[in-house]
Amino acid sequence: MDALLSFDNISFSYPMADAGPVKVLDGVSLAIGAGEFVAIVGHNGSGKSTLAKMTNAILLPDSGRMLVSGMDTRDEEKLLEIRQSVGMVFQNPDNQIVATVVEEDVAFALENLGVPSDEIRRRVDRALETVGMSKYAMHAPHRLSGGQKQRVAIAGVIAMRPRCIVLDEPTAMLDPVGRSEVMDTIAQLNRQYGITIVLITHHMNEAARCGRLVVMNKGVVEMDGPPREVFGRYDDMRALGLSVPQPFELAHQLGLDGAQALTVEECADAIYRWLA
Ligand code: ADP
């Protein structure tokens, strides 16, 4: 089966005025299938955002190819289709809000595409319902909490009916309540609607909720596997300066090797078994 997102030996450098170009992506190959829920973690500057920007042709590879459902992001004729297939959500919800009423904000991109107004109405209602924001349809976005704003931004993306959503640290500016609202919404989009999710995050407990975890380091994919397996390489993660989820860390510190506790419950179970 063809991958939905196929990073094929991609290298990329930002053009620099003074110093020479620095390679930010160095031969990245990664295939992400339809319906996957993938987290990408890595140090600041490891190339995660740059990788994300490849997926809907914000950036183009210097060498190698980026394919979205088999469409090359260099193919200008496919640009619209690519951008409809892959929606992006960024860190700062305030930068993504364009209208003064929530439902107008969600409708914005559809209006630009010339979607008929009854179809817009249906899609906006459905999108707001999906992210649990229907009752705020007529509210002013700037008065919402960070988590609510980010869910409105997600509604704007899903109204376009994308096959995939790439989220670049969507919870970084949110409080714990906002973070869990957004994470629950993302998980639901994947589980219930089969939307492919690529989530860039610094929060290892968020990464633990994904089906697959990719670790970037210095422009290359350093590790790629189920979260349990990747976090299980504890020493490798530490060597990259990365943490593991707290329950995992605690189980490790207690010497409960092999416990691989991703959640508080799993950690409690492991401690219980140990005490027994
Ligand atoms: P990450 O998302 O993992 O923090 P980025 O992809 O944002 O990594 O950045 C990788 C490297 O590219 C960093 O060293 C960063 O400073 C540099 N970089 C990012 N964006 C630009 C840009 N627009 N111009 C020049 N350098 C950039």
Side-chain angles (χ1 to χ4, degrees):
M1 191 197 72
D2 284 342
L4 178 57
L5 298 178
S6 175
F7 302 82
D8 181 8
N9 199 19
I10 291 179
S11 292
F12 180 82
S13 309
Y14 288 99
M16 293 292 185
D18 36 6
V22 180
K23 230 177 212 184
V24 172
L25 297 178
D26 192 2
V28 173
S29 291
L30 201 58
I32 295 177
E36 280 199 81
F37 186 174
V38 181
I40 302 183
V41 301
H43 244 299
N44 278 336
S46 58
K48 304 181 298 296
S49 291
T50 306
L51 196 65
K53 288 179 183 139
M54 294 288 157
T55 61
N56 78 348
I58 298 174
L59 294 173
L60 298 174
D62 293 339
S63 63
R65 285 188 315 170
M66 176 75 224
L67 302 178
V68 176
S69 302
M71 298 177 283
D72 193 320
T73 54
R74 283 202 191 88
D75 185 350
E76 285 180 21
E77 282 176 14
K78 300 285 188 197
L79 197 56
L80 191 60
E81 206 178 327
I82 287 169
R83 296 220 163 128
Q84 280 175 352
S85 304
V86 183
M88 296 272 292
V89 175
F90 298 97
Q91 189 178 99
N92 188 343
D94 291 318
N95 294 345
Q96 298 169 80
I97 287 168
V98 290
T100 52
V101 179
V102 164
E103 65 173 24
E104 286 172 12
D105 194 81
V106 176
F108 183 76
L110 297 175
E111 276 164 1
N112 281 346
L113 283 174
V115 174
S117 56
D118 54 339
E119 172 72 9
I120 293 183
R121 180 77 266 159
R122 262 199 308 276
R123 288 207 206 175
V124 168
D125 289 347
R126 191 84 186 84
L128 284 172
E129 196 184 310
T130 304
V131 302
M133 287 295 288
S134 298
K135 70 175 186 206
Y136 296 93
M138 300 307 291
H139 284 231
H142 71 269
R143 307 201 46 187
L144 301 175
S145 72
Q148 290 171 330
K149 283 184 204 168
Q150 205 55 304
R151 283 189 285 151
V152 170
I154 292 172
V157 169
I158 58 179
M160 306 276 286
R161 306 268 159 93
R163 299 190 63 200
C164 172
I165 304 182
V166 178
L167 305 103
D168 191 351
E169 297 195 40
T171 65
M173 302 183 74
L174 309 181
D175 61 20
V177 173
R179 280 216 291 276
S180 81
E181 285 172 9
V182 168
M183 277 307 293
D184 289 347
T185 303
I186 295 169
Q188 184 205 354
L189 291 178
N190 177 254
R191 208 174 43 238
Q192 208 164 329
Y193 302 97
I195 296 177
T196 308
I197 301 286
V198 179
L199 171 71
I200 296 177
T201 182
H202 275 299
H203 295 282
M204 294 302 173
N205 58 339
E206 293 178 359
R209 289 181 66 168
C210 297
R212 176 178 173 193
L213 180 54
V214 170
V215 181
M216 292 286 297
N217 185 46
K218 295 182 181 158
V220 303
V221 173
E222 192 76 38
M223 294 188 243
D224 179 1
R228 241 175 255 283
E229 202 176 293
V230 172
F231 291 131
R233 292 172 62 182
Y234 181 87
D235 293 335
D236 293 333
M237 287 294 280
R238 298 305 299 186
L240 294 174
L242 297 172
S243 61
V244 301
Q246 280 170 342
F248 212 99
E249 177 71 38
L250 179 58
H252 181 85
Q253 294 297 337
L254 290 172
L256 306 177
D257 287 328
Q260 306 212 332
L262 284 183
T263 62
V264 173
E265 288 75 20
E266 286 176 5
C267 186
D269 282 345
I271 293 171
Y272 179 78
R273 282 196 304 275
W274 176 56
L275 290 171

